[in-house]
């Protein structure tokens, strides 16, 4: 059976961006932002979204220049075999850590909120195995999974955050910018931008885009959707809980959900909310593990990816159970996020610069561009 | 005096007979030899002197006697054709002098075809395999002395079931005709609906022993030639001894690993198959079964019924949504019920939770056991009512459903709500128009019960994710199974979960890559 080499459609590209970025982080993002900048959080998200738009444009530009290569291939092409491979492996390692941290945080949420009798390790393993299962599939399947789950990811968050908006007190949102909070603008933007991490995954999917000329549009749209979801969640949390309470709430989004009820049908909604949230976290972990698999497969020229991605669960599991408690995980996550942000921002810059200086690029294949 | 003595058999003929027996005994030749006696005994040995093989020898009195033999299988042929159009017409017409004059032993074959046979469809062949296959399919072979070829006359006329109302895919509005077991009847049912010379019906034979006739039906200038070619080569390359039903083909061409979801759609409705062919699909008709296969298929197709197109689009959309909800119930309801009551009781409104607890007091089993007891009994009842002869079937349904449910509640084995949940689940599973998919979903609800019982709603979502990954990975002849949703195709949305008005379905489904894309002409711009 002839397989399409460029199966990813523009709509799937949006889904990949949105699903990968929106993760368990959204459960704690309102608190993180609020402790830094208080009521000015909305501004941080807007600015961070702009930053994210710039970063993703860098990836789009690199991807357009190297139309047939993914991240490990173009880092090797521009920075040499050793430097390129090391950089790619760094990306792989960061995704592996990201996947295990997400699994740990979400598993902690689940066992605290709805399944107190299930061991933490089981939750972590289930999430990691689900992600690894996705990583064994081919790129067309992964893109379709993202596409099918996108309405559930976005819909779930909207459906559960929007009803709670009726409890928003507008005065809690005021003043729009707290005096003095702008001093912390830098940290705020760092926290905000790191919540858009995951967007670098497009570097692996771009060579498979059926219509690369629409890549920029899909990516930007994806970032805007994420920004809208984040803005809604953060403002919802501030409006309902107020900045004071918010700074002391472990999982503010969950608290927000707890407050709503559809009288007569469901009394409390955190169980279905977290059940839907499994999908949100799964898409992130799946993308991350797929990234690790893709990088290893391309660097070490492994053809089949039927079984071995499951082996990634072993290191990821030990990384996830390493930190002693949720607080430690969050701290580690924050430091790790800054490191990752640096990696994600500077890699495309360096690659683009070197590529321009050394005149490296993939010659676009005219026929394929027309045939798709 | 002369009648007392037998005419001596010439030595040459004895030799020839002897040789013929040897040839037949030694090896199985692939071609007729051209010697009348040899060929006759060859064919006779081929069929192992089977009792239903009829060999009728006679001679045509044209200038010199010409040996002729008719071979057919009793019961497969229309005896009227054999008697009147072959034997009688040969014997009668050969007496006409003007015909007899033209016949010489050398050209007997051509002249008999030209002047003496009144049967409609004839062909000639000398390949033994072909001759034996056609005889076994109900044709009559006409062997003529001195000719290497043999004439095959179409005389098929065995008993078949007529065109009857389809039993599995019933509709309220729509034609009442269903396919039958005869491949010719089935092709004619399609032909009558699509009177287009571009409708191609290509024949093939599969199954080394069963020699089953199959036919590929598609419209030449609509169906994607690549898909057609792939379907044909793949099905023709099947190596199996016998194909007794189209389900054999459906499973043998399945190349996506383990999957409960079929890659071809079986239907016994000619209108449905015709609609599929018109969209650009290929139909595969298998002789001996009323179930015709359609390929490629997509997932939403299994929720569509031909009736949807005969009713108002809004009503059809509503009914389709009902089917999806019903399927979702049949898949998730027991699992979600267990998850909610055992893991997340805080979700349920307090009065209902109290009622549930009250209903369950005295029930000795855990909720999972309770559900499993009921689900398995329902499956048993369902299977039993299928096996029972027609009139008794519904009785068992009522006895099983009503009495068993009522009695088990009274006996305190299960709670009333469990009976309600299981009943809705079962009824929901019957709302899926496609039988195979309905069974798949019924089967899949058991994993969901176990997931729900182990991890609550989280388990249900886990199962859902696995199902989505599986479905997203499936392809049917290169067409993604979840099209037109993944990959999303705006033009395919007119007829997927929604059934829009025909004016919204101007194009054929894009994922089938039809050559002729338009179903309706473009609207003329208003002036």
């Amino acid at each position: 059976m002839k397989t399409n080499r460029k199966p990813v459609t523009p709509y799937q590209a949006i889904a990949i961006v949105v699903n990968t970025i929106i993760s368990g982080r959204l459960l704690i993002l309102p608190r993180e932002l609020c402790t830094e900048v208080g009521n000015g959080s909305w501004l941080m998200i807007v600015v961070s979204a702009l930053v994210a738009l710039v970063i993703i444009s860098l990836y789009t530009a690199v991807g357009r220049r190297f139309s047939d290569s993914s991240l490990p291939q173009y880092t090797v092409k521009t920075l040499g075999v050793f430097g390129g491979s090391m950089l790619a492996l760094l990306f792989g390692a960061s995704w592996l850590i990201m996947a295990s941290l997400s699994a740990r945080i979400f598993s902690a949420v689940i066992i605290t909120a709805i399944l107190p009798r299930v061991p933490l390790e089981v939750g972590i393993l289930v999430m990691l195995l689900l992600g690894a299962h996705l990583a064994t599939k081919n790129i067309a399947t992964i893109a379709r999974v993202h596409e099918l789950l996108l309405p559930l990811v976005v819909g779930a968050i909207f459906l559960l955050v929007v009803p709670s908006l009726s409890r928003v007190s507008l005065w809690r949102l005021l003043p729009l910018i707290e005096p003095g909070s702008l001093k912390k603008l830098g940290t705020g933007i760092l926290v905000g931008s790191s919540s858009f991490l995951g967007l670098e995954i497009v570097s692996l999917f771009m060579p498979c885009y059926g219509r690369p000329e629409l890549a920029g549009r899909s990516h930007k749209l994806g970032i805007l959707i994420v920004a809208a979801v984040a803005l809604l969640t953060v403002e919802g949390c501030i409006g309902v809980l107020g900045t004071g309470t918010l700074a002391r709430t472990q999982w503010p989004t969950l608290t927000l959900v707890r407050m709503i009820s559809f009288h007569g049908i469901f009394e409390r909604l955190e169980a279905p909310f977290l059940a839907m949230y499994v999908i949100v976290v799964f898409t992130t972990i799946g993308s991350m593990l797929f990234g690790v698999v893709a990088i290893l497969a391309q660097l070490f020229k492994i053809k089949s990816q039927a079984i071995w991605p499951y082996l990634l669960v072993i290191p990821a599991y030990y990384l996830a159970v390493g930190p002693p408690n949720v607080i430690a995980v969050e701290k580690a996550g924050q430091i790790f996020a800054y490191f990752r942000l640096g990696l994600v921002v500077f890699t495309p810059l360096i690659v683009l610069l070197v590529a321009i200086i050394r005149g490296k690029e993939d010659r676009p294949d005219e026929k394929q561009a027309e045939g798709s | 005096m002369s009648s007392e003595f037998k005419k001596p058999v010439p030595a040459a003929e004895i030799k020839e007979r002897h040789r013929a027996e040897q040839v037949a005994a030694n090896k199985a030749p692939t071609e007729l030899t051209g010697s009348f006696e040899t060929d006759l005994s060859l064919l006779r040995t081929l069929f192992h002197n089977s009792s239903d093989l009829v060999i009728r020898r006679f001679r045509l009195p044209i200038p010199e006697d010409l040996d002729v033999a008719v071979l057919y299988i009793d019961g497969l042929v229309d005896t009227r054709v054999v008697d009147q159009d072959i034997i009688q017409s040969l014997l009668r017409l050969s007496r006409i002098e003007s015909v007899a004059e033209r016949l010489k032993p050398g050209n007997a074959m051509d002249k008999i075809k030209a002047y003496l046979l009144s049967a409609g469809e004839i062909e000639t062949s000398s390949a033994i395999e072909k001759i034996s296959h056609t005889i076994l399919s109900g044709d009559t072979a006409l062997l003529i002395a001195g000719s290497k070829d043999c004439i095959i006359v179409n005389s098929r006329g065995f008993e078949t079931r007529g065109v009857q109302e389809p039993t599995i895919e019933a509709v309220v509005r729509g034609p009442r005709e269903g396919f039958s077991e005869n491949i010719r009847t089935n092709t004619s049912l399609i032909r009558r609906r699509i009177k287009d010379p571009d409708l191609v019906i290509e024949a093939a034979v599969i199954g080394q022993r069963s020699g089953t006739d199959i036919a590929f039906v598609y419209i030449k200038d609509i169906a994607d030639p690549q898909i057609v070619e792939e379907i044909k080569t793949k099905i023709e390359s099947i190596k199996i001894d016998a194909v007794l039903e189209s389900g054999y083909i459906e499973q043998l061409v399945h190349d996506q690993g383990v999957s409960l979801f079929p890659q071809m759609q079986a239907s016994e409705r000619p209108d449905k198959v015709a609609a599929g062919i018109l969209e650009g699909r290929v139909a595969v008709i298998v002789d001996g079964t009323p179930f015709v296969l359609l390929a490629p298929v997509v997932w939403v197709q299994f929720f569509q019924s031909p009736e949807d197109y005969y009713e108002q689009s809004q009503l059809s959309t509503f009914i389709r949504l009902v089917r999806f909800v019903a399927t979702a119930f049949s898949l998730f309801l027991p699992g979600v019920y267990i998850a909610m009551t055992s893991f997340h009781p805080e979700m349920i409104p307090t009065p209902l939770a109290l009622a549930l607890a009250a209903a369950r007091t005295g029930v000795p089993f855990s909720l999972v056991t309770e559900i499993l007891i009921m689900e398995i009994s329902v499956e048993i009842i369902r299977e039993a009512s299928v096996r029972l002869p027609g009139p008794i079937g519904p009785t068992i349904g009522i006895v099983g459903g009503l009495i068993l449910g009522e009695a088990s509640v009274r006996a305190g084995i299960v709670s009333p709500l469990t009976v309600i949940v299981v009943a809705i689940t079962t009824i929901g599973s019957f709302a899926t128009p496609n039988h195979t998919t309905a069974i798949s979903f019924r089967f899949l609800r058991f994993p969901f019960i176990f997931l729900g019982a182990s991890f609550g709603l989280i388990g249900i979502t886990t199962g859902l994710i696995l199902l989505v990954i599986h479905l997203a990975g499936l392809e049917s002849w290169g067409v993604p199974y979840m099209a037109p949703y993944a990959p999303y195709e705006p033009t395919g949305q007119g007829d997927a979960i929604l059934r829009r008005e025909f004016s919204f379905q101007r194009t054929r489904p894009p994922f089938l890559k039809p050559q002729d894309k338009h179903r309706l002409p473009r609207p003329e711009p208003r002036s």
Side-chain angles (χ1 to χ4, degrees):
Chain A
M1 209 162 290
K2 213 185 83 180
T3 46
N4 187 356
R5 267 189 67 249
K6 303 205 174 259
V8 182
T9 64
Y11 182 71
Q12 287 172 343
I14 303 177
I16 290 165
V17 172
V18 174
N19 286 357
T20 310
I21 297 178
I22 298 184
S23 67
R25 188 78 193 278
L26 205 61
L27 291 176
I28 51 174
L29 181 71
R31 170 166 52 83
E32 282 187 336
L33 275 177
C34 197
T35 40
E36 297 295 339
V37 286
N39 278 344
S41 304
W42 64 270
L43 185 66
M44 296 306 110
I45 290 178
V46 172
V47 176
S48 313
L50 293 176
V51 173
L53 281 177
V54 173
I55 302 177
I56 207 159
S57 308
L58 285 176
Y59 280 94
T60 316
V62 177
R64 294 290 295 277
R65 192 174 176 93
F66 295 94
S67 54
D68 269 337
S69 327
S70 64
L71 182 108
Q73 287 162 335
Y74 58 64
T75 51
V76 167
K77 273 181 193 166
T78 49
L79 307 174
V81 176
F82 181 76
S85 309
M86 279 300 128
L87 196 61
L89 282 178
L90 222 51
F91 266 92
S94 81
W95 287 331
L96 191 68
I97 297 173
M98 176 68 192
S100 42
L101 287 183
S102 297
R104 169 68 190 257
I105 291 184
F106 187 61
S107 185
V109 176
I110 291 176
I111 60 159
T112 316
I114 54 171
L115 295 179
R117 281 175 299 172
V118 173
L120 177 73
E121 289 79 2
V122 174
I124 293 174
L125 268 182
V126 167
M127 291 311 296
L128 287 175
L129 280 173
L130 269 182
H133 182 61
L134 181 67
T136 58
K137 305 293 175 191
N138 60 21
I139 216 158
T141 307
I142 294 174
R144 281 182 221 141
V145 170
H146 277 299
E147 188 172 24
L148 287 171
L149 294 181
L150 176 69
L152 293 181
V153 167
V154 177
I157 294 173
F158 271 92
L159 213 71
L160 290 155
V161 171
V162 170
S164 63
L165 292 185
S166 61
R167 289 168 176 262
V168 168
S169 313
L170 279 179
W171 57 266
R172 288 208 179 98
L173 297 176
L174 298 172
L176 281 179
I177 297 171
E178 269 173 65
S181 70
L182 283 183
K183 281 181 212 153
K184 289 192 169 177
L185 194 68
T187 12
I189 292 175
L190 271 185
V191 172
S193 313
S194 64
S195 68
F196 283 91
L197 280 175
L199 57 83
E200 70 275 15
I201 205 76
V202 296
S203 61
L204 295 176
F205 285 96
M206 270 198 77
C208 298
Y209 281 8
R211 301 180 67 188
E213 69 277 8
L214 296 180
R217 213 179 68 182
S218 306
H219 293 167
K220 281 174 198 148
L221 203 59
I223 296 285
L224 289 180
I225 293 175
V226 178
V229 169
L231 202 61
L232 198 71
T233 317
V234 170
E235 287 303 282
C237 284
I238 295 177
V240 174
L241 302 170
T243 47
T245 320
L246 188 54
R248 287 175 196 80
T249 314
Q250 179 63 28
W251 293 302
T253 314
L254 195 57
T255 313
L256 195 69
V257 171
R258 240 176 227 166
M259 293 174 136
I260 50 174
S261 69
F262 293 122
H263 280 292
I265 310 173
F266 297 119
E267 279 210 350
R268 287 181 44 186
L269 284 174
E270 69 253 46
F273 172 71
L274 283 181
M276 294 300 274
Y277 221 84
V278 171
I279 296 174
V280 175
V281 177
F282 154 76
T283 50
T284 308
I285 295 180
S287 276
M288 296 288 117
L289 288 182
F290 162 74
V292 183
V293 168
I295 284 187
L296 291 179
Q298 280 168 17
L299 285 183
F300 299 107
K301 307 253 181 310
I302 309 170
K303 284 273 157 55
S304 131
Q305 52 181 64
I307 304 290
W308 66 270
Y310 291 113
L311 294 178
L312 289 176
V313 172
I314 300 168
Y317 171 76
Y318 282 104
L319 281 171
V321 292
N325 53 43
V326 185
I327 310 296
V329 177
E330 270 181 31
K331 268 197 184 132
Q334 223 157 24
I335 296 163
F336 168 67
Y338 296 147
F339 158 74
R340 228 178 122 207
L341 196 60
L343 186 70
V344 166
V345 174
F346 288 113
T347 305
L349 275 177
I350 294 169
V351 167
L352 210 55
L353 214 64
V354 176
I356 291 171
I357 294 170
R358 293 177 64 183
K360 299 259 181 189
E361 66 176 310
D362 288 350
R363 298 263 161 259
D365 198 357
E366 294 296 333
K367 267 187 204 162
Q368 271 174 359
E370 277 169 26
S372 58
Chain B
M1 235 344 229
S2 62
S3 64
E4 306 241 325
F5 293 99
K6 269 190 178 170
K7 193 182 165 193
V9 183
E13 205 177 315
I14 294 177
K15 262 188 196 171
E16 202 197 337
R17 276 186 195 170
H18 189 63
R19 201 168 53 101
E21 277 163 18
Q22 270 187 335
V23 167
N26 286 342
K27 58 182 169 80
T30 55
E31 297 266 311
L32 290 181
T33 58
S35 145
F36 186 70
E37 291 297 334
T38 320
D39 289 345
L40 211 55
S41 72
L42 210 89
L43 287 172
R44 191 181 286 132
T45 14
L46 189 70
F47 290 101
H48 302 287
N49 284 319
S50 190
S51 62
D52 57 350
L53 176 73
V54 177
I55 302 181
R56 164 83 164 88
R57 295 177 60 151
F58 51 97
R59 287 184 173 164
L60 298 185
I62 40 179
E64 291 157 39
D65 281 359
L66 180 67
D67 273 310
V68 177
V70 167
L71 290 90
Y72 62 89
I73 303 270
D74 195 18
L76 294 185
V77 295
D78 185 348
T79 42
R80 198 193 52 80
V81 175
V82 178
D83 290 348
Q84 289 184 7
D85 296 343
I86 304 176
I87 301 178
Q88 223 180 77
S89 82
L90 280 175
L91 287 173
R92 280 212 180 144
L93 297 175
S94 62
R95 278 169 220 280
I96 302 173
E97 248 171 58
S98 60
V99 175
E101 273 171 15
R102 290 168 203 226
L103 263 130
K104 311 229 159 32
N107 66 4
M109 180 78 172
D110 294 336
K111 299 298 169 191
I112 285 176
K113 273 185 352 191
Y115 297 119
L116 299 185
L117 267 182
S118 64
E121 186 188 330
I122 59 170
E123 56 178 325
T124 54
S125 173
S126 63
I128 300 234
E129 205 187 321
K130 160 121 197 188
I131 295 170
S132 76
H133 176 72
T134 47
I135 291 178
L136 287 171
S137 308
D139 289 343
T140 302
L142 181 64
L143 219 56
I144 300 157
S147 167
K148 198 171 179 302
D149 283 340
C150 131
I151 302 177
I152 298 161
V153 185
N154 182 357
S155 57
R156 299 180 192 197
F158 37 84
E159 291 298 317
T160 52
R161 194 170 63 101
V163 173
Q164 288 173 356
E165 192 171 342
T167 44
I168 304 282
E169 292 168 90
V171 294
V172 178
R173 176 170 178 180
R176 297 271 179 262
E177 278 179 333
F179 285 120
S180 79
E181 280 77 5
N182 185 352
I183 191 166
R184 270 295 147 247
T185 317
N186 293 352
T187 53
S188 73
L189 283 172
I190 297 176
R191 205 39 115 178
R192 263 172 37 209
R193 284 176 170 78
I194 309 172
K195 296 185 189 73
D196 181 350
D198 285 323
L199 180 79
V200 182
I201 300 180
E202 283 175 30
V205 177
I206 56 169
Q208 277 99 19
R209 283 185 190 278
S210 68
T212 310
D213 287 308
I214 59 171
F216 301 100
V217 189
Y218 58 94
I219 297 181
K220 191 101 191 165
D221 59 347
I222 295 180
D224 178 23
Q226 211 182 330
I227 292 179
V228 173
E229 199 47 49
E230 221 162 79
I231 292 177
K232 267 161 54 184
T233 38
K234 195 147 177 196
I235 292 183
E236 280 170 5
S237 67
I238 289 176
K239 294 267 175 287
I240 190 174
D241 59 343
V243 172
L244 300 179
E245 215 272 342
S246 50
Y248 283 47
I249 294 180
E250 198 180 311
Q251 292 164 57
L252 285 167
V253 298
H254 193 72
D255 62 349
Q256 307 267 315
V258 183
S259 178
L260 293 173
F261 296 93
Q263 278 189 302
M264 298 177 103
Q265 184 183 26
S267 175
E268 52 175 342
R269 297 194 61 88
D271 53 336
K272 189 169 185 168
V273 171
I277 293 171
L278 283 168
E279 282 181 334
R281 293 179 220 271
V282 181
V284 183
I285 307 176
V286 179
D287 195 24
T289 172
F291 288 96
V292 172
L293 299 172
L294 268 180
V297 290
V298 292
W299 183 72
V300 280
Q301 210 176 319
F302 296 115
F303 299 92
Q304 300 172 350
S305 161
E307 210 174 354
D308 297 352
Y309 305 94
Y310 309 147
E311 296 283 359
Q312 280 290 322
S313 63
Q314 294 85 347
L315 300 178
S316 309
T317 301
F318 171 68
I319 291 168
R320 270 191 195 172
L321 291 177
V322 169
R323 280 185 211 131
F324 274 95
V325 172
T327 308
F329 273 162
S330 77
L331 191 56
F332 298 120
L333 191 65
V336 170
Y337 172 62
I338 293 174
M340 275 171 65
T341 44
S342 326
F343 286 89
H344 320 294
E346 78 278 359
M347 275 176 73
I348 310 167
T350 319
L352 180 59
L354 290 177
L356 273 178
R360 272 188 55 74
T361 44
V363 176
F365 304 112
S366 71
L367 192 58
V368 193
T369 327
E370 213 182 301
I371 290 267
L372 282 178
I373 290 174
M374 285 313 284
E375 289 286 5
I376 291 168
S377 349
V378 164
E379 287 298 307
I380 293 171
I381 294 170
R382 191 194 53 74
E383 183 60 21
S385 58
V386 172
R387 302 290 150 236
L388 276 172
I392 313 178
T395 326
I396 276 292
I398 295 168
V399 171
L402 278 180
I403 299 182
L404 204 67
E406 176 70 25
S408 44
V409 169
R410 288 234 177 129
I413 302 173
V414 294
S415 68
L417 205 72
T418 306
V419 177
I420 297 175
V421 165
V422 172
I424 295 176
T425 310
T426 312
I427 295 168
S429 75
F430 289 120
T432 317
N434 185 278
H435 184 59
T436 320
T437 330
I439 300 178
S440 305
F441 282 123
R442 268 216 307 277
F443 175 76
L444 279 175
R445 77 171 184 266
F446 287 102
F448 275 100
I449 289 177
F450 289 115
L451 282 169
S454 322
F455 298 108
L457 284 181
I458 304 288
I460 303 281
T461 326
T462 312
L464 177 70
I465 289 173
L466 289 175
L467 190 62
V468 167
I469 295 178
H470 176 71
L471 284 172
L474 286 181
E475 282 184 358
S476 165
W477 271 279
V479 175
Y481 211 57
M482 295 307 284
Y485 291 103
Y488 182 81
E489 316 234 21
T491 47
Q493 301 300 321
D495 180 26
I497 291 179
L498 305 181
R499 210 286 276 174
R500 306 289 302 275
E501 297 87 331
F502 283 115
S503 55
F504 281 94
Q505 300 181 37
R506 290 185 189 283
T507 54
R508 300 177 204 284
F511 44 84
L512 296 173
K513 304 184 201 80
Q515 299 176 55
D516 177 9
K517 290 190 174 54
H518 289 276
R519 217 198 291 250
L520 263 71
R522 285 172 198 286
E524 284 177 18
R526 279 183 201 161
S527 50

